[in-house]
Amino acid sequence: MKVFELIFLFVCIFKSIGSYDILAIFPHEGRSHHNVFAPVIRRLASGGHNMTVIGYYSFKVENKHFREIILEDTMKQGEYFFDLKSFVDVPWSISQAMIPFVLTDLGVRSCQVMLSNSKIQNLLKQNIKFDLILAEFFNSECIHIFKDQFDVPLVGISASTIMPWHNDRFGNPDNPSYIPNNHLWHEMKMNFFERVENVLGLYWHNIFYWILTMKNQNKIESFSERRLRLNHAKISNTSLLLANSHFSLTYPRPLVPGVIEVGGIHIEDKKMLPWIHAANNVFFEVTASDIECIISEILFYNPTMGVGFYDPWVLVLRVRFLQIIIFDLI
Ligand SMILES: *[C@@H]1O[C@H](CO)[C@@H](O)[C@H](O)[C@H]1NC(C)=O
Ligand SMILES: *[C@@H]1O[C@H](CO)[C@@H](O)[C@H](O)[C@H]1NC(C)=O
């Protein structure tokens, strides 16, 4: 009996120390997206998983179980791969309507850069056994070429809140009467006109994303000489979506078990916020430079991005934060 128990114990121990062969694919070039994924990839690598990672920036992992294929956009002109100015110089409603066109266009380009890379073509020819594909879910569907080839479960990770075209494949509710479309900047409490806009925006973004994605299929197939053949059953065969959102920062919404909010996952070194608990109020301590930074964001100016553009959610949060501070202080 003792021998049987011992064998059972060993089986349990070995099962829990096993590592996985993971293929991680990040076809989009945005640096800010990379910053969200990097800590996740580094954590998986330090956990002992055997990783093959495709992306534009190095994840800086020194580990014999870690290989990366760095992509290079040879079609890029200048320092920026995409000029946000073309987006902010047009009226707001037009720029919102342009989103599916701009994003799918960028998506085709990222698929072209990735699939025409000789290292990627080599990888696709090899008969490697992966256990899992982890891929960015953003503006393209060419990751399904990898899923078809390696025939393993797919886990998506998004650098932003859930894109409107990703809910359907998980059966995730996205009722536009109270769930704001993440491109339209509305809050959860919308008035009648905002709700109408939210409904139209949701359909506009979804319909055009799919029309353009299907239209671009042949182009994407030509980059890799592999069939993509997207259909609903195929794209719905996704195990999980890790979304970079959190109800405390955005808004509470119903989620199916296959969609998990992981907002904050990119923070590697957690620091405690300094706080003073006085009577019924909780104050965060802010310094002059914090206020300066908040004000400069309110003025829609971010020197690092080179154009007058700022993530609206961060802006809304900062304004609220400033309001809390001011109202609590007076
Ligand atoms: C890690 O994955 C690569 C292919 O991606 C494979 O060649 C290698 O044998 C794997 N190593 C281990 C220890 O599983
Ligand atoms: C879903 O994906 C798994 C893993 O690639 C595959 O084995 C299965 O056949 C797929 N199911 C459908 C319905 O395509």
PDB file of all heavy atoms in Angstrom, residues 21 50-52 65 67 123 128 130, ligand 1:
ATOM      1  N   ASP A  21       5.038  23.871 -23.893  1.00  0.00           N
ATOM      2  CA  ASP A  21       5.639  24.493 -25.081  1.00  0.00           C
ATOM      3  C   ASP A  21       4.650  25.529 -25.582  1.00  0.00           C
ATOM      4  O   ASP A  21       3.566  25.183 -26.041  1.00  0.00           O
ATOM      5  CB  ASP A  21       5.851  23.428 -26.171  1.00  0.00           C
ATOM      6  CG  ASP A  21       7.123  22.648 -25.934  1.00  0.00           C
ATOM      7  OD1 ASP A  21       8.190  23.254 -25.957  1.00  0.00           O
ATOM      8  OD2 ASP A  21       7.033  21.426 -25.712  1.00  0.00           O
ATOM      9  N   ASN A  50       8.629  26.471 -22.051  1.00  0.00           N
ATOM     10  CA  ASN A  50       9.472  26.509 -23.235  1.00  0.00           C
ATOM     11  C   ASN A  50       8.798  27.442 -24.241  1.00  0.00           C
ATOM     12  O   ASN A  50       7.750  27.110 -24.787  1.00  0.00           O
ATOM     13  CB  ASN A  50       9.578  25.064 -23.762  1.00  0.00           C
ATOM     14  CG  ASN A  50      10.562  24.921 -24.886  1.00  0.00           C
ATOM     15  OD1 ASN A  50      11.473  25.738 -25.026  1.00  0.00           O
ATOM     16  ND2 ASN A  50      10.382  23.906 -25.705  1.00  0.00           N
ATOM     17  N   MET A  51       9.378  28.613 -24.443  1.00  0.00           N
ATOM     18  CA  MET A  51       8.670  29.646 -25.187  1.00  0.00           C
ATOM     19  C   MET A  51       9.287  29.939 -26.556  1.00  0.00           C
ATOM     20  O   MET A  51      10.501  30.069 -26.680  1.00  0.00           O
ATOM     21  CB  MET A  51       8.698  30.972 -24.417  1.00  0.00           C
ATOM     22  CG  MET A  51       8.326  30.915 -22.963  1.00  0.00           C
ATOM     23  SD  MET A  51       6.575  30.974 -22.704  1.00  0.00           S
ATOM     24  CE  MET A  51       6.134  32.536 -23.398  1.00  0.00           C
ATOM     25  N   THR A  52       8.420  30.089 -27.549  1.00  0.00           N
ATOM     26  CA  THR A  52       8.832  30.617 -28.845  1.00  0.00           C
ATOM     27  C   THR A  52       7.978  31.864 -29.050  1.00  0.00           C
ATOM     28  O   THR A  52       6.745  31.768 -29.043  1.00  0.00           O
ATOM     29  CB  THR A  52       8.555  29.597 -29.967  1.00  0.00           C
ATOM     30  OG1 THR A  52       9.221  28.381 -29.632  1.00  0.00           O
ATOM     31  CG2 THR A  52       9.029  30.100 -31.308  1.00  0.00           C
ATOM     32  N   HIS A  65      15.426  28.105 -22.700  1.00  0.00           N
ATOM     33  CA  HIS A  65      14.123  27.622 -23.166  1.00  0.00           C
ATOM     34  C   HIS A  65      13.316  28.740 -23.821  1.00  0.00           C
ATOM     35  O   HIS A  65      12.093  28.657 -23.932  1.00  0.00           O
ATOM     36  CB  HIS A  65      13.328  27.022 -22.000  1.00  0.00           C
ATOM     37  CG  HIS A  65      14.013  25.865 -21.370  1.00  0.00           C
ATOM     38  ND1 HIS A  65      14.348  24.743 -22.090  1.00  0.00           N
ATOM     39  CD2 HIS A  65      14.453  25.654 -20.111  1.00  0.00           C
ATOM     40  CE1 HIS A  65      14.954  23.893 -21.292  1.00  0.00           C
ATOM     41  NE2 HIS A  65      15.046  24.407 -20.091  1.00  0.00           N
ATOM     42  N   ARG A  67      13.068  31.334 -27.133  1.00  0.00           N
ATOM     43  CA  ARG A  67      13.529  31.759 -28.450  1.00  0.00           C
ATOM     44  C   ARG A  67      12.604  32.862 -28.935  1.00  0.00           C
ATOM     45  O   ARG A  67      11.402  32.782 -28.702  1.00  0.00           O
ATOM     46  CB  ARG A  67      13.408  30.596 -29.464  1.00  0.00           C
ATOM     47  CG  ARG A  67      14.416  29.500 -29.333  1.00  0.00           C
ATOM     48  CD  ARG A  67      13.882  28.229 -29.950  1.00  0.00           C
ATOM     49  NE  ARG A  67      12.603  27.899 -29.332  1.00  0.00           N
ATOM     50  CZ  ARG A  67      12.480  27.345 -28.141  1.00  0.00           C
ATOM     51  NH1 ARG A  67      13.530  27.004 -27.438  1.00  0.00           N
ATOM     52  NH2 ARG A  67      11.285  27.104 -27.619  1.00  0.00           N
ATOM     53  N   LEU A 123       9.272  28.277 -39.614  1.00  0.00           N
ATOM     54  CA  LEU A 123       8.573  27.778 -38.420  1.00  0.00           C
ATOM     55  C   LEU A 123       7.296  27.051 -38.828  1.00  0.00           C
ATOM     56  O   LEU A 123       6.971  25.980 -38.313  1.00  0.00           O
ATOM     57  CB  LEU A 123       8.249  28.952 -37.494  1.00  0.00           C
ATOM     58  CG  LEU A 123       7.475  28.636 -36.223  1.00  0.00           C
ATOM     59  CD1 LEU A 123       8.394  27.988 -35.193  1.00  0.00           C
ATOM     60  CD2 LEU A 123       6.865  29.893 -35.615  1.00  0.00           C
ATOM     61  N   ILE A 128       6.518  21.083 -35.348  1.00  0.00           N
ATOM     62  CA  ILE A 128       6.763  21.255 -33.916  1.00  0.00           C
ATOM     63  C   ILE A 128       5.469  20.978 -33.152  1.00  0.00           C
ATOM     64  O   ILE A 128       4.385  21.308 -33.632  1.00  0.00           O
ATOM     65  CB  ILE A 128       7.228  22.700 -33.622  1.00  0.00           C
ATOM     66  CG1 ILE A 128       8.461  23.022 -34.463  1.00  0.00           C
ATOM     67  CG2 ILE A 128       7.539  22.889 -32.148  1.00  0.00           C
ATOM     68  CD1 ILE A 128       8.957  24.435 -34.298  1.00  0.00           C
ATOM     69  N   PHE A 130       3.469  22.166 -30.233  1.00  0.00           N
ATOM     70  CA  PHE A 130       3.253  23.140 -29.169  1.00  0.00           C
ATOM     71  C   PHE A 130       2.076  22.669 -28.328  1.00  0.00           C
ATOM     72  O   PHE A 130       1.273  21.838 -28.774  1.00  0.00           O
ATOM     73  CB  PHE A 130       2.930  24.519 -29.763  1.00  0.00           C
ATOM     74  CG  PHE A 130       4.115  25.194 -30.400  1.00  0.00           C
ATOM     75  CD1 PHE A 130       4.202  25.310 -31.785  1.00  0.00           C
ATOM     76  CD2 PHE A 130       5.145  25.708 -29.623  1.00  0.00           C
ATOM     77  CE1 PHE A 130       5.291  25.922 -32.375  1.00  0.00           C
ATOM     78  CE2 PHE A 130       6.238  26.328 -30.200  1.00  0.00           C
ATOM     79  CZ  PHE A 130       6.312  26.432 -31.590  1.00  0.00           C
TER      80      PHE A 130
HETATM   81  C1  LIG B   1      11.269  23.773 -26.822  1.00  0.00           C
HETATM   82  O1  LIG B   1      10.616  24.074 -28.034  1.00  0.00           O
HETATM   83  C2  LIG B   1      11.406  23.882 -29.193  1.00  0.00           C
HETATM   84  C3  LIG B   1      10.584  24.265 -30.403  1.00  0.00           C
HETATM   85  O2  LIG B   1       9.908  25.412 -30.256  1.00  0.00           O
HETATM   86  C4  LIG B   1      11.858  22.449 -29.306  1.00  0.00           C
HETATM   87  O3  LIG B   1      12.705  22.325 -30.416  1.00  0.00           O
HETATM   88  C5  LIG B   1      12.569  22.040 -28.034  1.00  0.00           C
HETATM   89  O4  LIG B   1      12.843  20.660 -28.093  1.00  0.00           O
HETATM   90  C6  LIG B   1      11.709  22.323 -26.838  1.00  0.00           C
HETATM   91  N1  LIG B   1      12.472  22.032 -25.639  1.00  0.00           N
HETATM   92  C7  LIG B   1      11.971  21.370 -24.603  1.00  0.00           C
HETATM   93  C8  LIG B   1      12.888  21.186 -23.444  1.00  0.00           C
HETATM   94  O5  LIG B   1      10.847  20.945 -24.606  1.00  0.00           O
END
